[in-house]
Amino acid sequence: AQSVSQHNHHVILSEAASLELGCNYSYGGTVNLFWYVQYPGQHLQLLLKYFSGDPLVKGIKGFEAEFIKSKFSFNLRKPSVQWSDTAEYFCAPRDDKIIFGKGTRLHILP
Amino acid sequence: DAGVTQSPTHLIKTRGQQVTLRCSPKSGHDTVSWYQQALGQGPQFIFQYYEEEERQRGNFPDRFSGHQFPNYSSELNVNALLLGDSALYLCASSSPMIIETQYFGPGTRLLVL
């Protein structure tokens, strides 16, 4: 069965720290990969996406993610986080249907 | 340009009742998807509507049904409500040109007592 796993449920970092949020999926074949973010009090919004081509994709606000096909992973990274990055982050692979992970709550200490 | 709008914002029902939730897609979008997000979980795909027909469906019982109107707005209906149906219901729309990118609404929070 299709599934997605986000490794961390809660992450607390200080400003300027580096961030990596893990995401693994169980799909085979062609997969589209998404990271969504939900800032406090706001709607879910797309952070970045991978369809094909360069496995390193860049999104909004300095985020990037790397698709590693052999590891079925699509980890989200940011070199230096800001307090405004406090949010919940969802990994969402799509085969014929999109499936969201359980989310990672990121809290950045000022 | 209005984004995706949903109504109502909050709703309280009792077990066994029926509920209808509404969604208006972003301007220019013709595809609407519905998701259920239980507390502490990610959104779960319920179904997707395109050209007034259900195009895809997730693992939800037939108690969950929907409709899409000619103006692309959509309704989600849930019959015979259960306590476990309490959740945030999200609507997302996408355009015919960039169908993989979905724009989400604020959701309707349903509480079943």
Side-chain angles (χ1 to χ4, degrees):
Chain A
Q2 301 164 341
S3 67
V4 55
S5 174
Q6 290 187 236
H7 305 164
N8 313 96
H9 297 300
H10 291 93
V11 173
I12 301 174
L13 294 173
S14 298
E15 276 194 308
S18 64
L19 170 71
E20 181 161 3
L21 302 182
C23 173
N24 286 92
Y25 59 93
S26 67
Y27 297 29
T30 303
V31 178
N32 302 139
L33 297 158
F34 303 84
W35 276 96
Y36 280 85
V37 60
Q38 188 166 28
Y39 297 102
Q42 296 188 27
H43 308 178
L44 264 175
Q45 59 183 282
L46 182 67
L47 196 56
L48 49 77
K49 60 186 177 184
Y50 171 80
F51 287 174
S52 63
D54 188 345
L56 184 63
V57 293
K58 296 191 183 299
I60 60 172
K61 303 187 180 186
F63 284 89
E64 63 181 31
E66 185 175 12
F67 168 53
I68 303 179
K69 188 174 181 180
S70 61
K71 295 184 178 180
F72 297 93
S73 71
F74 190 55
N75 293 353
L76 181 70
R77 300 195 293 245
K78 186 170 183 178
S80 176
V81 294
Q82 301 173 306
W83 177 78
S84 59
D85 294 325
T86 294
E88 189 159 19
Y89 293 81
F90 295 92
C91 178
R94 184 187 189 280
D95 186 356
D96 62 331
K97 299 182 187 65
I98 193 168
I99 294 183
F100 283 79
K102 291 187 176 182
T104 296
R105 286 189 182 272
L106 175 64
H107 188 74
I108 306 299
L109 302 173
Chain B
D1 173 26
V4 179
T5 60
Q6 293 186 242
S7 63
T9 55
H10 295 82
L11 204 51
I12 300 175
K13 292 285 188 180
T14 56
R15 280 180 298 173
Q17 284 190 309
Q18 179 265 343
V19 68
T20 298
L21 311 181
R22 295 176 175 82
C23 171
S24 291
K26 185 176 167 63
S27 177
H29 288 187
D30 63 356
T31 301
V32 173
S33 301
W34 285 93
Y35 294 84
Q36 180 194 67
Q37 186 175 16
L39 208 57
Q41 303 292 318
Q44 285 193 67
F45 175 71
I46 303 175
F47 42 53
Q48 184 180 80
Y49 276 83
Y50 172 69
E51 292 189 341
E52 301 179 49
E53 292 195 358
E54 183 181 293
R55 184 161 68 174
Q56 281 188 319
R57 190 178 183 92
N59 295 326
F60 279 81
D62 292 344
R63 297 187 297 109
F64 290 76
S65 63
H67 189 77
Q68 186 178 34
F69 299 94
N71 66 353
Y72 308 123
S73 67
S74 177
E75 286 182 350
L76 164 66
N77 300 293
V78 186
N79 294 323
L81 284 167
L82 304 174
L83 296 180
D85 295 330
S86 295
L88 180 68
Y89 289 85
L90 297 169
C91 171
S93 71
S94 51
S95 85
M97 301 304 294
I98 313 176
I99 199 163
E100 300 296 346
T101 301
Q102 298 184 77
Y103 291 79
F104 282 82
T108 294
R109 190 162 296 281
L110 172 65
L111 177 61
V112 182
L113 301 176

